[in-house]
């Protein structure tokens, strides 16, 4: 007779139905942050989550980070001394973009052939629903554990991560022994993530007629020279460091490029101002201060060759790369839970982008990132998550919490 598995239990089937329904509800509450739009932020979804937690018997706190953008915090305290485990999953989602390009309503959460479609199904409302359902399941079944669980449900992960910074600043992360970051990683056990430096580069010139170019100073030529030098720096860093086994290559990517920065562009007018943004992604072997120093050295060299090279460099965000040892109890708890639930050998991997876990790591908390959803699907048209993967992830979170808080991991 075959041994029963976690997937054959009544708990698994109950939680499967719960997580599907909760994910649909969360996705249908539009929580794209749109500046100056009271209906386009995280307020409504945060209110729903807070009420849902309270109805499940979870002590709940709501803290406004900035107007209309609250964090929700849930606390499940066993009343027994022990470790503290934190689950983190954000409420905001990126814009849906052109709705007409979607096959399905981006906020409809329709289920088609075993997949749920919609903005946030993958990143990361599906995983938010998994972590809530997993904790609710522990309470429903009266599971015994020690210590406590904190549910961290912040706003603004997709922006400047104001929510997690506020959460840490207000002391909620103090004393946490391990954190599970609930992001779409195909249930790989991700123990590293790339760092991020976001820079704005402004180069200033003198406006003039395009036919009388010598009467102006064209910032576009200066920006072009800088971008070429930055591409060389990217290749030098890649050659120096090689390919990281979990995170691939470090990168320097110009994203926004705008000239003029204000006013209308015209083909026969030299602009007085050119701006670009740089999305720099790093690996743990890179030192951010050293890398910024290399960029500054490039600028100084270009300025030495050109007295009209006027540039301002602004650091918009600076998040270090992270790495967590496989031996950490929170990593072992997730590894064992993935193995038991999926009946497969877990895969160690890294997160290609940054998460809220970056700041928990800086705060001294061991982090591991794991969750349902295709790793390369976030922010795309027709975003989706597989229904069965939601059920698996819920069971993984549930079992990992028991392992970590029983002291078995």
């Amino acid at each position: 007779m075959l041994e029963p598995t976690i997937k054959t239990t009544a708990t698994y089937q109950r939680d499967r139905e719960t997580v599907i329904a909760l994910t649909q509800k969360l996705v249908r509450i539009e929580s794209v942050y749109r500046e100056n739009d009271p209906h386009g932020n995280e307020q409504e979804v945060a209110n729903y989550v807070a009420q849902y937690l309270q109805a499940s018997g979870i002590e709940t706190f709501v803290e406004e980070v900035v107007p209309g953008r609250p964090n929700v915090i849930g606390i499940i305290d066993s009343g027994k001394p022990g470790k503290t485990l934190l689950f983190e999953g954000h409420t905001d989602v990126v814009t849906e973009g052109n709705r007409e390009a979607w096959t399905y309503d981006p906020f409809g959460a329709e289920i088609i052939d075993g997949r749920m479609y919609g903005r946030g199904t993958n990143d990361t409302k599906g995983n938010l629903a998994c972590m809530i359902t997993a904790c609710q399941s522990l309470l429903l079944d009266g599971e015994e554990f020690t210590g406590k669980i904190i549910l961290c449900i912040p706003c603004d992960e997709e922006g400047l991560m104001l929510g997690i910074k506020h959460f840490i600043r207000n002391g909620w992360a103090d004393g946490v022994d391990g954190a599970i970051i609930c992001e779409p990683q195909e249930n790989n056990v991700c123990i590293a993530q790339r760092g991020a430096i976001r820079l704005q580069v402004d180069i200033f010139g003198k406006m003039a007629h395009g036919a009388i170019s010598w009467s102006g100073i064209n910032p576009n030529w200066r920006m072009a020279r800088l971008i070429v030098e930055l591409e060389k720096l990217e290749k030098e860093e890649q050659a120096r460091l090689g390919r990281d086994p979990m995170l691939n290559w470090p990168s320097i990517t110009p994203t926004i490029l705008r000239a003029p920065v204000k006013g209308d562009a015209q083909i026969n007018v030299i602009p007085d101002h050119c701006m670009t943004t740089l999305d720099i992604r790093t690996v743990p072997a890179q030192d951010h201060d050293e890398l910024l120093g290399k960029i500054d050295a490039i600028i100084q060299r270009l300025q030495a060759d050109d007295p009209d090279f006027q540039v301002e460099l602004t650091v918009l965000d600076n998040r270090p790369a992270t790495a967590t040892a496989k031996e950490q109890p929170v990593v072992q708890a997730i590894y064992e839970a993935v193995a038991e639930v999926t009946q497969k050998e877990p895969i160690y991997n890294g997160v290609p982008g940054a998460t809220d876990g970056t700041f928990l790591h800086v705060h001294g908390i061991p982090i591991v990132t794991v969750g349902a959803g295709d790793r390369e699907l976030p922010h795309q048209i027709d975003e989706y998550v597989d229904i069965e993967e939601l059920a698996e992830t819920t069971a993984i979170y549930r079992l990992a919490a028991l392992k970590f808080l029983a002291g078995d991991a």
Side-chain angles (χ1 to χ4, degrees):
M1 185 173 178
L2 292 174
E3 287 284 329
T5 66
I6 288 173
K7 292 185 179 183
T8 63
T9 64
T11 291
Y12 185 91
Q13 296 304 318
R14 177 199 66 201
D15 293 348
R16 180 185 184 278
E17 297 306 312
T18 300
V19 76
I20 291 170
L22 180 55
T23 301
Q24 284 186 302
K25 181 62 181 179
L26 295 177
V27 171
R28 288 168 180 166
I29 303 173
E30 186 174 334
S31 58
V32 179
Y33 175 66
R34 307 183 201 276
E35 194 171 357
N36 300 321
D37 180 356
H39 303 293
N41 55 42
E42 302 98 327
Q43 183 76 61
E44 186 180 349
V45 72
N47 289 345
Y48 179 82
V49 167
Q51 292 167 9
Y52 191 94
L53 295 182
Q54 290 169 341
S56 300
I58 297 171
E59 186 178 13
T60 305
F61 302 86
V62 178
E63 295 184 344
E64 189 170 68
V65 177
V66 293
R69 311 192 76 183
N71 285 345
V72 180
I73 300 103
I75 305 292
I76 304 172
D77 195 332
S78 70
K80 304 170 187 175
K83 293 182 288 190
T84 296
L85 175 65
L86 184 145
F87 284 100
E88 187 277 336
H90 56 90
T91 53
D92 61 322
V93 296
V94 298
T95 174
E96 72 281 16
N98 179 11
R99 290 195 183 212
E100 294 180 1
W102 285 69
T103 307
Y104 309 102
D105 179 352
F107 300 102
E110 296 177 67
I111 297 175
I112 310 291
D113 296 330
R115 288 177 171 174
M116 185 188 302
Y117 288 86
R119 181 59 84 222
T121 50
N122 174 289
D123 182 15
T124 196
K125 286 181 175 176
N127 291 302
L128 172 58
C130 289
M131 77 183 217
I132 292 172
T133 303
C135 292
Q136 180 188 42
S137 179
L138 295 175
L139 295 175
L140 285 172
D141 291 345
E143 296 284 5
E144 292 288 330
F145 59 89
T146 61
K148 66 180 177 181
I149 298 170
I150 299 177
L151 294 172
C152 170
I153 306 169
C155 65
D156 191 46
E157 191 270 354
E158 300 290 2
L160 295 177
M161 300 188 174
L162 298 175
I164 195 67
K165 293 172 183 175
H166 186 275
F167 176 88
I168 294 168
R169 190 164 58 247
N170 281 16
W172 291 104
D174 296 350
V176 171
D177 298 287
I180 297 171
I181 312 304
C182 305
E183 294 278 357
Q185 296 299 328
E186 301 170 26
N187 284 328
N188 290 184
V189 181
C190 294
I191 55 175
Q193 60 183 359
R194 292 207 293 173
I197 305 173
R198 289 175 175 169
L199 299 181
Q200 179 173 318
V201 182
D202 291 273
I203 296 182
F204 303 93
K206 180 183 177 185
M207 192 174 182
H209 196 299
I212 316 172
S213 59
W214 54 85
S215 67
I217 299 172
N218 195 333
N220 292 342
W221 289 124
R222 280 89 187 163
M223 184 64 79
R225 289 198 287 270
L226 177 57
I227 289 175
V228 167
E229 291 299 316
L230 290 171
E231 185 182 21
K232 291 178 184 176
L233 177 60
E234 179 190 65
K235 294 184 186 306
E236 290 169 5
E237 289 293 287
Q238 291 175 347
R240 180 175 72 88
L241 296 161
R243 181 180 178 275
D244 186 282
M246 292 186 185
L247 300 173
N248 288 311
W249 302 97
S251 59
I252 300 173
T253 306
T255 50
I256 302 168
L257 184 60
R258 186 176 295 147
V261 175
K262 294 181 180 179
D264 295 328
Q266 196 166 327
I267 197 168
N268 61 344
V269 178
I270 294 172
D272 66 346
H273 184 187
C274 182
M275 182 274 288
T276 193
T277 53
L278 302 175
D279 186 4
I280 302 172
R281 301 294 172 142
T282 61
V283 296
Q286 283 176 293
D287 180 273
H288 282 202
D289 289 339
E290 182 181 323
L291 183 57
L292 288 169
K294 291 179 180 180
I295 294 171
D296 188 59
I298 289 171
I299 291 172
Q300 290 185 37
R301 188 169 68 249
L302 292 172
Q303 288 178 319
D305 293 337
D306 180 359
D308 291 326
F309 197 109
Q310 297 183 49
V311 60
E312 287 184 3
L313 193 67
T314 305
V315 179
L316 303 175
D317 206 8
N318 191 341
R319 312 171 192 169
T322 72
T324 307
K326 293 179 180 179
E327 295 74 24
Q328 282 288 343
V330 70
V331 175
Q332 287 300 301
I334 281 290
Y335 187 93
E336 293 172 13
V338 170
E340 289 184 37
V341 172
T342 67
Q343 298 289 292
K344 297 176 183 176
E345 184 72 19
I347 298 170
Y348 282 113
N349 215 327
V351 180
T355 71
D356 280 335
T358 300
F359 296 100
L360 295 170
H361 166 84
V362 171
H363 197 65
I365 300 170
I367 64 169
V368 59
T369 306
V370 63
D374 187 319
R375 286 161 49 85
E376 297 186 2
L377 195 64
H379 304 186
Q380 292 187 27
I381 300 293
D382 286 337
E383 178 182 343
Y384 68 84
V385 69
D386 289 326
I387 294 300
E388 288 309 319
E389 200 170 0
L390 284 177
E392 281 188 352
T393 300
T394 301
I396 288 166
Y397 290 164
R398 185 185 192 280
L399 184 57
L402 290 174
K403 288 178 173 293
F404 185 79
L405 295 175
D408 294 334

